[in-house]
Structure formats: C-alpha cells, structure tokens
Amino acid sequence: MKRVRVTVPASSANLGPGFDVLGLALTLENVFELEEVEGFSVDVAGEGALTLPRGKENVVVRGAAAVYAALGRQLTGLRVRQTNAIPPGRGLGSSATAWLGGMLGANALCKGALPLEAILEMAVREEGHPDNLAAALYGGLTIACLDDGHVRVLKLPLASNLRFPVLIPDLEAKTVTARAVLPSHLSREDGVFNLARACILVGALTLGRPDLLRSAMADRWHQPYRLALFPWLAAVFQAAQEAGALGWALSGAGPSVLAITGEDAEKVGAAMLGALERSGITGRARVLGAAELGSRVEILS
Ligand code: HSE
C-alpha cells in the first residue's frame, strides 16, 4: 500500500478535576492523507492552513519518521495532505491529532507493524499529553495513567444522552504557559477534593447521573490558577450555569471551554459565547458529541 487516510478526533482533557488523566474525544476531526513518494511535501487545508509548517518539521512528518525509525526503516519521502477542522492552540487536542495522524499513517504504510499501545507510548514520549492522546486514539471517555514508561488506558462507555457545547475563543494559548502558572504542590485537602470529584465524575458520566456533574466537575488544581490567564472564564462558567449546563470546565489547558448538557446545548453554547463577547473577545460556539470510535485508518491504494 502506498496511500492511507487517518481521521483523528478532537479531545478535551481534564474535564475539570481529572488533571492530566481524563480525556473525552469529540466529534470534530482532522484528516491526514499520507503517501509514500520521493521528497517531502505538506499541504494544509482548513484550520492552521496559514501557520502550520510545511517541511520536515511538520508534526505529521515527524510522527511518521518516528514510526519508520522504530521499525528500523528510513523515511525518504512523504506527501502529507491534512484537512483540519480543529483549531490549533485552543485546548482541543490538535497537536495530539497531528502526532497520531503521522504515526498511525506511517504504521499503516508499514503494514501495521506496531500495536496501538506502542504507537500511544511513542506519541506520549513525543507530545507529552496522555490525556488527549488516549482519547484521540481510542475515542470516548478515557482514563490514562503513566506507569513506568508505559501508558495504561481505560476507555469507558458514556451515558448516551449527553451533549457537549464547546466555546472556542479567537485566541491561542500555549500549554506550557498555562502549566507555568500552576503551583508545584497541592495541599492534601485540595488533593482529596480533586480525587473525590474525578472519581465521582467518571461514575456520573458512565452511569448516567447528570445530577452529580456540577459538583463533580469542580477543581482546585489548575482552573483557579488559570483564571489569571483567562480573566473572562468565570463569566463564561456562570453563563453556562445560568443557561442550564449540567457541568462545565476549561478544555485542557484552554482557552476553549467544554460544557455538558442534555437538551439545552445550543442555549448553553450561545450563552457562553455571549459572555465571552461581553468581555471583548470574539469566538464561536459548537455543539459536539462524543466521538466513540477514536482514530480510524483507511487504505486508499
Ligand atoms: N492536561 C493538560 C493541562 C492539557 O491541563 O495542562 C493537555 O493534555
């Protein structure tokens, strides 16, 4: 085979209390076509078309090269065509999609020589965020745990009646900056606060207990500190609550905001967007679902 297509979903990490551990795959996708040719070229359409690198430093190419190297092969050329629906730098797992797109595509070109677990571990070594990567690879609601260089992942079934309005501000944030504002230590009280909520949140999402989501998505680990970077966030959370959201959280390291709703999804999305715009920042609201399938690979020729 010479040409493959990889479709990778967006993901929202943390879900409030599950810092660096919980992930949810969302129905917004980046699509990567990889073809073995002589020389390197990258075409980008859609989100990031004007900013993403087109040479060998492109993350899709780097991901592909890492797989070839792991298999003892040299990548001498690759044509990449990526069509992005996920805006980069918004806390929606765009970089995870690019690493997985490159790695899964290259692995298919190499006849699927590496198991998915090895791809995930390689992606975690390169990209660093198992919460986004596990959700984007396997889909659905995931718990990711680093264990002595290995990544343990549990994918759990989600209650089916939930919808996910996502607020995407027109500004980019760097994860490294959003991590630099966090304290290096957590008090025992705050640790227990988050641990209890992360556990209840997983139960509430899988057992269908929407009544528990609001208190289960509270967090003392990262969001209170990130308010300094996103001063409009408290107003957006309040707008989500007043419009009837069941729960809400900063998506990953931000700046996007994920809400969880039943029927009120459009209303909650519009309310969050209104609050953002009243703070002087433009953006858009999208109502997404959970992407159950995760990443998909198709052989084109
Ligand atoms: N969990 C990360 C953070 C986001 O909140 O910094 C990327 O996985």
Side-chain angles (χ1 to χ4, degrees), residues 13-14 19-21 129-132 175 178-179 182 222 226 252-253:
N14 304 332
F19 182 67
D20 281 357
V21 173
H129 297 294
D131 42 8
N132 284 112
T175 301
R179 294 176 84 79
L182 306 184
H222 63 107
R226 289 173 167 169

Side-chain angles (χ1 to χ4, degrees), residues 6 32 34 40 42 55-71 73-75 78 80 82 95-110 114 118-127 133:
V6 188
F32 306 90
L34 282 76
F40 291 89
V42 178
K56 278 166 113 173
E57 71 278 23
N58 178 280
V59 165
V60 184
V61 177
R62 289 169 61 196
V67 165
Y68 275 70
L71 294 171
R73 291 181 52 178
Q74 206 188 346
L75 182 63
L78 190 68
V80 174
Q82 56 185 102
S95 101
T97 72
W99 282 108
L100 288 174
M103 289 180 175
L104 290 168
N107 196 44
L109 291 173
C110 296
L114 294 178
I119 301 256
L120 178 61
E121 285 174 6
M122 194 183 295
V124 169
R125 282 196 297 277
E126 297 285 352
E127 203 262 356
L133 287 162

Side-chain angles (χ1 to χ4, degrees), residues 157-223:
L158 263 180
S160 60
N161 48 355
L162 299 174
R163 300 173 76 202
F164 303 94
V166 175
L167 174 70
I168 309 172
D170 289 335
L171 53 95
E172 294 191 17
K174 287 202 182 311
T175 301
V176 58
T177 311
R179 294 176 84 79
V181 299
L182 306 184
S184 52
H185 290 86
L186 200 61
S187 70
R188 180 161 62 183
E189 195 187 352
D190 288 352
V192 172
F193 181 98
N194 267 57
L195 177 62
R197 278 155 186 79
C199 293
I200 290 189
L201 178 59
V202 169
L205 287 171
T206 55
L207 299 173
R209 288 288 308 272
D211 55 304
L212 293 174
L213 289 176
R214 181 172 160 192
S215 81
M217 288 178 78
D219 155 63
R220 289 187 184 168
W221 193 333
H222 63 107
Q223 292 175 154

